[in-house]
Amino acid sequence: QVQLAESGGGLVQAGGSLRLSCTAIGRALSTYGMGWFRQAPGKDREFVAGVSGIGGNLYVADSLKGRFTISTDNAKNTGYLQMDSLEPEDTAVYYCAFPRLITTMVPRSLISYTYWGQGTQVTVSS
């Protein structure tokens, strides 16, 4: 049984920072990689960032590059999403997920992921 648990969400003012954590149980992040997604009210869930299982390649969505950074601590089987210069438009529920397959490229589609965390709320006030 694979379980993912996110933490680190909260309320922050625009321009502030948050670091989200996602700890996995039952599957090695170093083998499968990890993805981060977010879903704002009334919008579809969208890809944010990810790390591939093979090679540990990192990828951040183009619109978020320069503000968001993904990293991992394989010894803790934990992934991190560092979010800086936050904007009200970043308000969403953030999810981590394990991909279905082990790949060299970071999957960016929802269907590529099979296990999901419960989500953590990030609210950015203006």
Side-chain angles (χ1 to χ4, degrees), residues 22-35:
C22 176
T23 298
I25 298 173
R27 179 169 284 188
L29 189 158
S30 60
T31 300
Y32 282 84
M34 177 180 285

Side-chain angles (χ1 to χ4, degrees), residues 12-77:
V12 63
Q13 288 188 330
S17 297
L18 283 175
R19 188 177 79 155
L20 306 183
S21 301
C22 176
T23 298
I25 298 173
R27 179 169 284 188
L29 189 158
S30 60
T31 300
Y32 282 84
M34 177 180 285
W36 286 94
F37 290 76
R38 69 183 182 182
Q39 188 165 18
K43 295 188 176 181
D44 294 334
R45 193 171 297 189
E46 64 175 354
F47 174 82
V48 173
V51 54
S52 67
I54 300 174
N57 299 305
L58 306 176
Y59 183 83
V60 177
D62 289 342
S63 62
L64 300 174
K65 286 178 181 175
R67 298 195 300 121
F68 286 23
T69 306
I70 184 172
S71 62
T72 62
D73 184 335
N74 291 337
K76 295 181 179 179
N77 213 31

Side-chain angles (χ1 to χ4, degrees), residues 65-106:
K65 286 178 181 175
R67 298 195 300 121
F68 286 23
T69 306
I70 184 172
S71 62
T72 62
D73 184 335
N74 291 337
K76 295 181 179 179
N77 213 31
T78 298
Y80 303 96
L81 183 67
Q82 177 68 40
M83 306 184 295
D84 299 317
S85 302
L86 283 163
E87 303 168 354
E89 292 73 25
D90 296 317
T91 296
V93 178
Y94 285 71
Y95 300 88
C96 62
F98 262 135
R100 194 177 304 274
L101 301 174
I102 302 172
T103 62
T104 55
M105 302 289 289
V106 176

Side-chain angles (χ1 to χ4, degrees), residues 109-125:
S109 62
L110 290 171
I111 198 172
S112 298
Y113 291 82
T114 186
Y115 293 103
W116 293 83
Q118 81 285 356
T120 185
Q121 176 70 47
V122 171
T123 303
V124 184
S125 63

